[in-house]
Amino acid sequence: MSAITPLMPRQKVPALSVPLVGGGTWSLADQAPENFTMVVFYRGLHCPICGKYLKDLDDKLADFAKRGVNVIVLSSDTQDRAETAREKWALENLDLGYGLSLEQAREWGLYISSSNGVTSSGLEEPALFSEPGLFLVRPDGTLYFGTVQTMPFARPAFAEILGALDFVIAKNYPARGEVIDHTNI
């Protein structure tokens, strides 16, 4: 059994580099956002909820850019499945990464599921795949905000994240949940 590693606010996040649909490679180390890099992990092509969720983000990408936030979305899908997702879900603006290893998913604290076969969308789930997660990473590579899920439902709404960004940027609000050992305080 591989361990799930919880990421801690104000601590460095794991390295991350993935190939992109359309060519090239995206690397967290290469990011230089004004405020944050938002890393959005999705389940894959088989997930119709992911399609709606990412289309909403695709439509709001310029709003994130105005707030100094770079965005990447990625999954453990193969290149073919990621390319199909981009086309099927009409994702026109997002950097779409693929090929996330399950080891990388675990380093980011993501849950892993096994296939239930064909989904409601008529697509076969991969044998193993990572569940959703969303992280805001500061330019220095430390975690500001993170959420992971065991299910595809009830994810953080991008409109609410935009509103929160307005507040945290204006107030220079610190990352919370930073206490690693509460028994030593």
Side-chain angles (χ1 to χ4, degrees), residues 68-148:
V69 179
N70 294 355
V71 176
I72 180 73
V73 300
L74 64 154
S75 74
S76 53
D77 267 351
T78 63
Q79 180 178 356
D80 288 345
R81 286 176 70 98
E83 288 171 348
T84 300
R86 177 183 283 295
E87 183 179 323
K88 182 177 182 177
W89 298 338
L91 304 176
E92 300 172 4
N93 305 303
L94 290 170
D95 283 335
L96 186 63
Y98 61 90
L100 177 75
S101 74
L102 297 180
E103 290 75 18
Q104 287 174 301
R106 283 289 199 219
E107 287 175 358
W108 281 79
L110 300 180
Y111 293 94
I112 306 228
S113 291
S114 59
S115 178
N116 280 334
V118 177
T119 66
S120 62
S121 64
L123 295 168
E124 183 85 19
E125 290 182 345
L128 295 171
F129 58 92
S130 62
E131 290 293 342
L134 187 150
F135 300 87
L136 288 173
V137 180
R138 289 203 177 272
D140 66 2
T142 60
L143 180 66
Y144 181 77
F145 168 87
T147 180
V148 295

